[in-house]
């Protein structure tokens, strides 16, 4: 299996090269040259597999340059840190199925991919005799999941910038209570944008990038998407009786990584009717699906901060397929977008989009009302991100068609919104018990690129 860029500017590379490259060197995103299809008899044979075994089968189709025995061990180890035997169990409440993706160490779905990516990095670096300094910016969830994915690993150090005092207290503690020597939390006296701009500047400094072997863990890494494809299959098998049934997945969406994994599963042949793309007030993608209007707005803060994004980086992967795998068209569309802040689509493309997706934008009041009414009716607490997806799903119920809502975070992780909606403090899972009393390590620095650069220079491997 070879990998190519959505912008057509690189020679095909292998799976492990794609994992190490992250963003394609021509500025595009990496995708498999062809998406493997799975036939009915294969689906049939996967139906009752435990999660780890299924993950091995799915991932193997996209990865042919890691010995199967090693790949199996890497996958198995990645999910040992989950606190549920099924890894991603499905529960049913209030007429919808809920795919719980929050049983990993930091209580959000990002653990599913970042636990595996951390192990893949360690394995590949060791093989190649290399080291890597991961640098990233976070507004909350990605940072803690990435830190947990690489803590204590050999040949890797990680530097995560977060805006000082601007993440939720639990999110900050999930990062700063990790005391492993290779973990460096940098609290920046500034905003998330300051953090992100400084990280971008460091990556754009090619000499610095080279000298310190900078690595990235953001959701453009193909391995992250791939790890997420698995649970679409897993959930499908839990809620259907036969392979003739089509389902709808409702996906709370920010950077388009999670829902793109669902799109890949559907392209492989999983019987998915449509993907329901749920957004908060930052609804550029809903405008795209419903009106063919892809134009830049301003990011507004919401109750579901991990979805407060306007330009979704993984969206380019979908555009590649929407444009019939025409890399020239992708390049032109992005050049136009950079100039004008908008993108145009043909009538035929809009029909394709409508066959692939449904979409609904859910506002603050609807989110609170959904958390509250769902709890009253079912006794089940939704986190605000999940609530956005559940609200979108409840508005789209089709007779008899199974609806699977992705639960992307545990309610205890966003307890403020949950308390506002229900007046109840969500029960804390074991990983958060007493977290306020644990020792922390974190360096507070000015929002100044020279200070951040100096810090990394001092602590890099
Ligand atoms: C990251 C995140 C999302 C958005 O996922 P994307 O892959 O960026 O679309 C939704 N919910 C939670 C809790 C998240 O952490």
């Amino acid at each position: 299996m070879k990998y190519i860029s959505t912008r057509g500017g690189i020679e095909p590379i292998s799976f492990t090269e794609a994992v190490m490259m992250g963003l394609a060197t021509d500025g595009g995103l990496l995708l498999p040259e062809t998406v493997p299809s799975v036939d009915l008899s294969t689906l049939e044979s996967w139906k009752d597999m435990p999660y780890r075994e299924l993950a091995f089968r799915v991932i193997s189709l996209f990865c042919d340059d890691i010995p199967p025995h090693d790949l199996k061990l890497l996958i198995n180890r990645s999910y040992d840190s989950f606190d549920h035997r099924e890894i991603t169990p499905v529960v049913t409440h209030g007429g919808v199925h809920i795919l719980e993706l929050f049983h990993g160490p930091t209580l959000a779905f990002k653990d599913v991919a970042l636990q595996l990516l951390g192990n893949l990095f360690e394995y590949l670096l060791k093989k190649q005799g290399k080291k890597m300094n991961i640098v990233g910016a976070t507004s909350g969830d990605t940072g803690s999941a990435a830190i947990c994915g690489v803590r204590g690993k050999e040949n890797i150090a990680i530097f995560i910038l977060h805006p000082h005092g601007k993440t939720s207290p639990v999110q900050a503690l999930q990062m700063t209570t990790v005391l492993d020597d290779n973990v460096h939390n940098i609290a920046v006296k500034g905003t998330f944008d300051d953090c992100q701009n400084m990280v971008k500047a460091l990556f754009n400094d090619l000499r610095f990038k080279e000298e310190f072997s900078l690595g990235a863990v953001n959701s453009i890494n193909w391995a992250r998407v791939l790890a997420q494809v698995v649970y679409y299959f897993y959930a499908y098998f839990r809620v259907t009786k036969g392979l003739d049934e089509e389902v709808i997945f409702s996906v709370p969406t920010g950077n388009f990584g999670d829902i793109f994994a669902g799109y890949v599963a559907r392209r492989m042949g999983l019987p998915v009717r449509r993907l329901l793309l749920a957004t908060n007030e930052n609804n550029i993608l809903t405008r795209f699906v419903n009106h063919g209007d892809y134009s830049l707005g301003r990011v507004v803060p919401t109750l579901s901060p991990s979805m407060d994004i306007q330009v979704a980086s993984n969206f380019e992967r979908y555009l590649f397929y929407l444009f019939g795998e025409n890399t020239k068209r992708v390049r032109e569309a992005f050049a136009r977008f950079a100039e004008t802040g908008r993108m145009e689509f043909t009538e035929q493309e809009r029909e394709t989009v409508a066959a692939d997706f449904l979409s609904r934008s859910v506002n603050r009041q609807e989110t609170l009302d959904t958390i509250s009414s769902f709890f009253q009716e079912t006794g089940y607490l939704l986190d605000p991100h999940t609530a956005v997806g559940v609200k979108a799903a409840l508005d789209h119920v089709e007779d008899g068609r199974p609806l699977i809502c992705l639960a992307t975070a545990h309610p205890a992780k966003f307890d403020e919104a949950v308390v506002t909606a229900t007046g109840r403090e969500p029960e804390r899972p074991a990983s958060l018990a007493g977290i306020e009393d644990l020792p922390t390590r974190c360096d507070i620095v000015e929002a100044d690129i020279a200070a951040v650069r100096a810090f990394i220079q001092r602590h890099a491997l």
Side-chain angles (χ1 to χ4, degrees), residues 108-110 141 219 228 252-259 306-307 309 383 385 408-409 414:
F109 84 91
K110 293 185 170 72
D141 283 353
S219 68
Q228 292 168 203
T253 296
N255 237 333
F256 204 81
D258 205 3
I259 197 164
S306 299
M307 295 153 63
I309 286 164
D383 106 284
H385 303 77
T408 52
F414 297 93

PDB file of all heavy atoms in Angstrom, residues 108-110 141 219 228 252-259 306-307 309 383 385 408-409 414, ligand 1:
ATOM      1  N   ALA A 108     -11.169  11.285  26.304  1.00  0.00           N
ATOM      2  CA  ALA A 108     -11.737  11.781  25.046  1.00  0.00           C
ATOM      3  C   ALA A 108     -11.341  10.812  23.932  1.00  0.00           C
ATOM      4  O   ALA A 108     -10.406  10.018  24.079  1.00  0.00           O
ATOM      5  CB  ALA A 108     -11.249  13.188  24.732  1.00  0.00           C
ATOM      6  N   PHE A 109     -12.042  10.888  22.799  1.00  0.00           N
ATOM      7  CA  PHE A 109     -11.828   9.892  21.745  1.00  0.00           C
ATOM      8  C   PHE A 109     -10.421   9.958  21.166  1.00  0.00           C
ATOM      9  O   PHE A 109      -9.951   9.012  20.550  1.00  0.00           O
ATOM     10  CB  PHE A 109     -12.871  10.071  20.630  1.00  0.00           C
ATOM     11  CG  PHE A 109     -12.515  11.105  19.604  1.00  0.00           C
ATOM     12  CD1 PHE A 109     -11.818  10.748  18.455  1.00  0.00           C
ATOM     13  CD2 PHE A 109     -12.847  12.423  19.786  1.00  0.00           C
ATOM     14  CE1 PHE A 109     -11.483  11.693  17.504  1.00  0.00           C
ATOM     15  CE2 PHE A 109     -12.506  13.382  18.830  1.00  0.00           C
ATOM     16  CZ  PHE A 109     -11.820  13.014  17.703  1.00  0.00           C
ATOM     17  N   LYS A 110      -9.735  11.080  21.382  1.00  0.00           N
ATOM     18  CA  LYS A 110      -8.411  11.215  20.781  1.00  0.00           C
ATOM     19  C   LYS A 110      -7.423  10.159  21.292  1.00  0.00           C
ATOM     20  O   LYS A 110      -6.455   9.844  20.624  1.00  0.00           O
ATOM     21  CB  LYS A 110      -7.878  12.624  21.020  1.00  0.00           C
ATOM     22  CG  LYS A 110      -8.709  13.659  20.255  1.00  0.00           C
ATOM     23  CD  LYS A 110      -8.143  15.053  20.353  1.00  0.00           C
ATOM     24  CE  LYS A 110      -8.838  15.997  19.392  1.00  0.00           C
ATOM     25  NZ  LYS A 110     -10.222  16.324  19.822  1.00  0.00           N
ATOM     26  N   ASP A 141      -7.901  19.100  24.683  1.00  0.00           N
ATOM     27  CA  ASP A 141      -7.949  17.643  24.540  1.00  0.00           C
ATOM     28  C   ASP A 141      -6.744  17.012  23.843  1.00  0.00           C
ATOM     29  O   ASP A 141      -6.234  15.990  24.278  1.00  0.00           O
ATOM     30  CB  ASP A 141      -9.202  17.236  23.764  1.00  0.00           C
ATOM     31  CG  ASP A 141     -10.432  17.302  24.642  1.00  0.00           C
ATOM     32  OD1 ASP A 141     -10.280  17.533  25.853  1.00  0.00           O
ATOM     33  OD2 ASP A 141     -11.537  17.119  24.113  1.00  0.00           O
ATOM     34  N   SER A 219      -4.044  16.187  13.943  1.00  0.00           N
ATOM     35  CA  SER A 219      -4.895  15.143  13.364  1.00  0.00           C
ATOM     36  C   SER A 219      -4.687  14.977  11.869  1.00  0.00           C
ATOM     37  O   SER A 219      -5.416  14.219  11.235  1.00  0.00           O
ATOM     38  CB  SER A 219      -6.363  15.412  13.680  1.00  0.00           C
ATOM     39  OG  SER A 219      -6.817  16.560  12.990  1.00  0.00           O
ATOM     40  N   GLN A 228      -9.024   5.442  13.854  1.00  0.00           N
ATOM     41  CA  GLN A 228     -10.421   5.766  14.129  1.00  0.00           C
ATOM     42  C   GLN A 228     -11.401   5.047  13.195  1.00  0.00           C
ATOM     43  O   GLN A 228     -12.585   4.929  13.499  1.00  0.00           O
ATOM     44  CB  GLN A 228     -10.626   7.281  14.051  1.00  0.00           C
ATOM     45  CG  GLN A 228      -9.920   7.995  15.188  1.00  0.00           C
ATOM     46  CD  GLN A 228      -9.830   9.499  15.019  1.00  0.00           C
ATOM     47  OE1 GLN A 228      -8.972  10.122  15.593  1.00  0.00           O
ATOM     48  NE2 GLN A 228     -10.699  10.084  14.233  1.00  0.00           N
ATOM     49  N   PRO A 252     -19.869  14.579  16.177  1.00  0.00           N
ATOM     50  CA  PRO A 252     -19.545  15.964  16.582  1.00  0.00           C
ATOM     51  C   PRO A 252     -18.222  16.362  15.948  1.00  0.00           C
ATOM     52  O   PRO A 252     -17.206  15.712  16.185  1.00  0.00           O
ATOM     53  CB  PRO A 252     -19.399  15.876  18.108  1.00  0.00           C
ATOM     54  CG  PRO A 252     -19.935  14.542  18.511  1.00  0.00           C
ATOM     55  CD  PRO A 252     -19.803  13.645  17.321  1.00  0.00           C
ATOM     56  N   THR A 253     -18.237  17.409  15.138  1.00  0.00           N
ATOM     57  CA  THR A 253     -17.102  17.644  14.239  1.00  0.00           C
ATOM     58  C   THR A 253     -16.405  18.981  14.462  1.00  0.00           C
ATOM     59  O   THR A 253     -17.058  20.008  14.652  1.00  0.00           O
ATOM     60  CB  THR A 253     -17.579  17.528  12.773  1.00  0.00           C
ATOM     61  OG1 THR A 253     -18.016  16.185  12.540  1.00  0.00           O
ATOM     62  CG2 THR A 253     -16.472  17.868  11.802  1.00  0.00           C
ATOM     63  N   GLY A 254     -15.076  18.934  14.440  1.00  0.00           N
ATOM     64  CA  GLY A 254     -14.257  20.135  14.511  1.00  0.00           C
ATOM     65  C   GLY A 254     -13.304  20.156  13.336  1.00  0.00           C
ATOM     66  O   GLY A 254     -13.530  20.794  12.321  1.00  0.00           O
ATOM     67  N   ASN A 255     -12.229  19.354  13.457  1.00  0.00           N
ATOM     68  CA  ASN A 255     -11.196  19.317  12.435  1.00  0.00           C
ATOM     69  C   ASN A 255     -11.478  18.308  11.321  1.00  0.00           C
ATOM     70  O   ASN A 255     -10.644  18.086  10.458  1.00  0.00           O
ATOM     71  CB  ASN A 255      -9.856  18.986  13.086  1.00  0.00           C
ATOM     72  CG  ASN A 255      -8.842  20.056  12.805  1.00  0.00           C
ATOM     73  OD1 ASN A 255      -8.934  20.738  11.775  1.00  0.00           O
ATOM     74  ND2 ASN A 255      -7.888  20.222  13.681  1.00  0.00           N
ATOM     75  N   PHE A 256     -12.635  17.654  11.368  1.00  0.00           N
ATOM     76  CA  PHE A 256     -13.073  16.739  10.321  1.00  0.00           C
ATOM     77  C   PHE A 256     -12.292  15.421  10.316  1.00  0.00           C
ATOM     78  O   PHE A 256     -12.434  14.613   9.408  1.00  0.00           O
ATOM     79  CB  PHE A 256     -12.955  17.420   8.942  1.00  0.00           C
ATOM     80  CG  PHE A 256     -13.858  16.854   7.874  1.00  0.00           C
ATOM     81  CD1 PHE A 256     -15.189  17.219   7.793  1.00  0.00           C
ATOM     82  CD2 PHE A 256     -13.367  15.959   6.941  1.00  0.00           C
ATOM     83  CE1 PHE A 256     -16.019  16.702   6.816  1.00  0.00           C
ATOM     84  CE2 PHE A 256     -14.191  15.433   5.936  1.00  0.00           C
ATOM     85  CZ  PHE A 256     -15.516  15.809   5.873  1.00  0.00           C
ATOM     86  N   GLY A 257     -11.474  15.159  11.355  1.00  0.00           N
ATOM     87  CA  GLY A 257     -10.689  13.933  11.371  1.00  0.00           C
ATOM     88  C   GLY A 257     -11.557  12.716  11.672  1.00  0.00           C
ATOM     89  O   GLY A 257     -11.501  11.699  10.974  1.00  0.00           O
ATOM     90  N   ASP A 258     -12.367  12.849  12.710  1.00  0.00           N
ATOM     91  CA  ASP A 258     -13.190  11.734  13.146  1.00  0.00           C
ATOM     92  C   ASP A 258     -14.197  11.350  12.061  1.00  0.00           C
ATOM     93  O   ASP A 258     -14.332  10.181  11.694  1.00  0.00           O
ATOM     94  CB  ASP A 258     -13.913  12.168  14.434  1.00  0.00           C
ATOM     95  CG  ASP A 258     -14.288  10.988  15.297  1.00  0.00           C
ATOM     96  OD1 ASP A 258     -13.945   9.852  14.934  1.00  0.00           O
ATOM     97  OD2 ASP A 258     -14.935  11.220  16.340  1.00  0.00           O
ATOM     98  N   ILE A 259     -14.890  12.318  11.522  1.00  0.00           N
ATOM     99  CA  ILE A 259     -15.924  11.999  10.523  1.00  0.00           C
ATOM    100  C   ILE A 259     -15.277  11.510   9.219  1.00  0.00           C
ATOM    101  O   ILE A 259     -15.833  10.668   8.521  1.00  0.00           O
ATOM    102  CB  ILE A 259     -16.865  13.206  10.278  1.00  0.00           C
ATOM    103  CG1 ILE A 259     -18.148  12.729   9.584  1.00  0.00           C
ATOM    104  CG2 ILE A 259     -16.189  14.323   9.496  1.00  0.00           C
ATOM    105  CD1 ILE A 259     -19.299  13.722   9.626  1.00  0.00           C
ATOM    106  N   SER A 306     -13.613  21.850  21.905  1.00  0.00           N
ATOM    107  CA  SER A 306     -12.778  21.047  21.009  1.00  0.00           C
ATOM    108  C   SER A 306     -13.317  21.051  19.583  1.00  0.00           C
ATOM    109  O   SER A 306     -12.718  20.452  18.686  1.00  0.00           O
ATOM    110  CB  SER A 306     -12.666  19.612  21.511  1.00  0.00           C
ATOM    111  OG  SER A 306     -12.067  19.616  22.784  1.00  0.00           O
ATOM    112  N   MET A 307     -14.452  21.702  19.376  1.00  0.00           N
ATOM    113  CA  MET A 307     -15.004  21.832  18.029  1.00  0.00           C
ATOM    114  C   MET A 307     -15.014  23.288  17.581  1.00  0.00           C
ATOM    115  O   MET A 307     -15.649  23.617  16.573  1.00  0.00           O
ATOM    116  CB  MET A 307     -16.434  21.279  17.994  1.00  0.00           C
ATOM    117  CG  MET A 307     -16.484  19.785  18.265  1.00  0.00           C
ATOM    118  SD  MET A 307     -18.055  19.269  18.975  1.00  0.00           S
ATOM    119  CE  MET A 307     -19.173  19.673  17.636  1.00  0.00           C
ATOM    120  N   ILE A 309     -13.564  25.472  15.657  1.00  0.00           N
ATOM    121  CA  ILE A 309     -12.600  25.507  14.559  1.00  0.00           C
ATOM    122  C   ILE A 309     -13.325  26.029  13.326  1.00  0.00           C
ATOM    123  O   ILE A 309     -14.495  25.708  13.120  1.00  0.00           O
ATOM    124  CB  ILE A 309     -12.084  24.068  14.288  1.00  0.00           C
ATOM    125  CG1 ILE A 309     -11.113  23.642  15.400  1.00  0.00           C
ATOM    126  CG2 ILE A 309     -11.419  23.950  12.927  1.00  0.00           C
ATOM    127  CD1 ILE A 309     -10.852  22.172  15.442  1.00  0.00           C
ATOM    128  N   ASP A 383     -21.713  14.640  27.539  1.00  0.00           N
ATOM    129  CA  ASP A 383     -20.806  15.792  27.579  1.00  0.00           C
ATOM    130  C   ASP A 383     -21.276  16.759  26.485  1.00  0.00           C
ATOM    131  O   ASP A 383     -22.027  16.363  25.584  1.00  0.00           O
ATOM    132  CB  ASP A 383     -19.348  15.328  27.374  1.00  0.00           C
ATOM    133  CG  ASP A 383     -18.832  15.686  26.003  1.00  0.00           C
ATOM    134  OD1 ASP A 383     -19.226  14.987  25.041  1.00  0.00           O
ATOM    135  OD2 ASP A 383     -18.101  16.674  25.859  1.00  0.00           O
ATOM    136  N   HIS A 385     -19.964  18.068  23.826  1.00  0.00           N
ATOM    137  CA  HIS A 385     -19.652  17.711  22.435  1.00  0.00           C
ATOM    138  C   HIS A 385     -20.607  16.614  21.948  1.00  0.00           C
ATOM    139  O   HIS A 385     -21.186  16.695  20.868  1.00  0.00           O
ATOM    140  CB  HIS A 385     -18.206  17.225  22.306  1.00  0.00           C
ATOM    141  CG  HIS A 385     -17.188  18.201  22.793  1.00  0.00           C
ATOM    142  ND1 HIS A 385     -16.941  18.382  24.132  1.00  0.00           N
ATOM    143  CD2 HIS A 385     -16.382  19.063  22.135  1.00  0.00           C
ATOM    144  CE1 HIS A 385     -16.013  19.317  24.265  1.00  0.00           C
ATOM    145  NE2 HIS A 385     -15.651  19.749  23.071  1.00  0.00           N
ATOM    146  N   THR A 408     -17.779  11.636  22.206  1.00  0.00           N
ATOM    147  CA  THR A 408     -16.357  11.941  22.036  1.00  0.00           C
ATOM    148  C   THR A 408     -15.638  12.292  23.327  1.00  0.00           C
ATOM    149  O   THR A 408     -14.416  12.305  23.355  1.00  0.00           O
ATOM    150  CB  THR A 408     -16.170  13.083  21.013  1.00  0.00           C
ATOM    151  OG1 THR A 408     -17.003  14.183  21.387  1.00  0.00           O
ATOM    152  CG2 THR A 408     -16.551  12.618  19.615  1.00  0.00           C
ATOM    153  N   ALA A 409     -16.379  12.617  24.386  1.00  0.00           N
ATOM    154  CA  ALA A 409     -15.712  12.895  25.670  1.00  0.00           C
ATOM    155  C   ALA A 409     -16.589  12.444  26.823  1.00  0.00           C
ATOM    156  O   ALA A 409     -17.814  12.343  26.705  1.00  0.00           O
ATOM    157  CB  ALA A 409     -15.409  14.387  25.812  1.00  0.00           C
ATOM    158  N   PHE A 414     -15.950  17.858  31.046  1.00  0.00           N
ATOM    159  CA  PHE A 414     -16.548  19.183  30.788  1.00  0.00           C
ATOM    160  C   PHE A 414     -17.672  19.408  31.783  1.00  0.00           C
ATOM    161  O   PHE A 414     -18.810  19.686  31.423  1.00  0.00           O
ATOM    162  CB  PHE A 414     -17.026  19.265  29.334  1.00  0.00           C
ATOM    163  CG  PHE A 414     -15.889  19.150  28.362  1.00  0.00           C
ATOM    164  CD1 PHE A 414     -15.528  17.926  27.834  1.00  0.00           C
ATOM    165  CD2 PHE A 414     -15.132  20.269  28.032  1.00  0.00           C
ATOM    166  CE1 PHE A 414     -14.444  17.810  26.972  1.00  0.00           C
ATOM    167  CE2 PHE A 414     -14.054  20.161  27.177  1.00  0.00           C
ATOM    168  CZ  PHE A 414     -13.711  18.938  26.640  1.00  0.00           C
TER     169      PHE A 414
HETATM  170  C1  LIG B   1     -11.258  16.792  18.980  1.00  0.00           C
HETATM  171  C2  LIG B   1     -12.648  16.625  19.479  1.00  0.00           C
HETATM  172  C3  LIG B   1     -13.775  16.707  18.618  1.00  0.00           C
HETATM  173  C4  LIG B   1     -13.639  17.031  17.137  1.00  0.00           C
HETATM  174  O1  LIG B   1     -13.075  15.987  16.404  1.00  0.00           O
HETATM  175  P1  LIG B   1     -12.439  16.257  14.949  1.00  0.00           P
HETATM  176  O2  LIG B   1     -11.761  15.017  14.559  1.00  0.00           O
HETATM  177  O3  LIG B   1     -11.491  17.415  15.141  1.00  0.00           O
HETATM  178  O4  LIG B   1     -13.577  16.631  14.047  1.00  0.00           O
HETATM  179  C5  LIG B   1     -15.026  16.479  19.147  1.00  0.00           C
HETATM  180  N1  LIG B   1     -15.198  16.225  20.471  1.00  0.00           N
HETATM  181  C6  LIG B   1     -14.156  16.141  21.319  1.00  0.00           C
HETATM  182  C7  LIG B   1     -14.418  15.879  22.753  1.00  0.00           C
HETATM  183  C8  LIG B   1     -12.848  16.337  20.865  1.00  0.00           C
HETATM  184  O5  LIG B   1     -11.820  16.267  21.729  1.00  0.00           O
END
